[in-house]
Amino acid sequence: MLNEKGTTCKSWTASNAYPVKLKMAPFNATQNDIAIEEIEICFHHLKRNL
């Protein structure tokens, strides 16, 4: 996670992590919309880095 200056203020480290689901919005090259992707991750352990 970045603050307003672009500096890392929070981060996490996941061990034994792998993606289990990937969802992407339909892409239309004729429109000027943003592309949204969603990923679901399974992990064994999550550590918050300070």
Side-chain angles (χ1 to χ4, degrees):
M1 183 181 301
L2 305 177
N3 63 16
E4 61 279 350
K5 295 179 183 178
T7 305
T8 302
C9 61
K10 293 185 183 181
S11 66
W12 297 263
T13 301
S15 63
N16 297 328
Y18 55 91
V20 293
K21 185 178 182 182
L22 178 62
K23 183 178 177 183
M24 298 168 58
F27 183 73
N28 186 344
T30 62
Q31 295 181 348
N32 194 20
D33 292 337
I34 61 171
I36 298 176
E37 296 178 337
E38 181 180 325
I39 186 168
E40 184 176 326
I41 299 172
C42 183
F43 58 87
H44 176 70
H45 182 75
L46 184 66
K47 177 185 173 189
R48 186 176 66 192
N49 305 318
L50 300 176

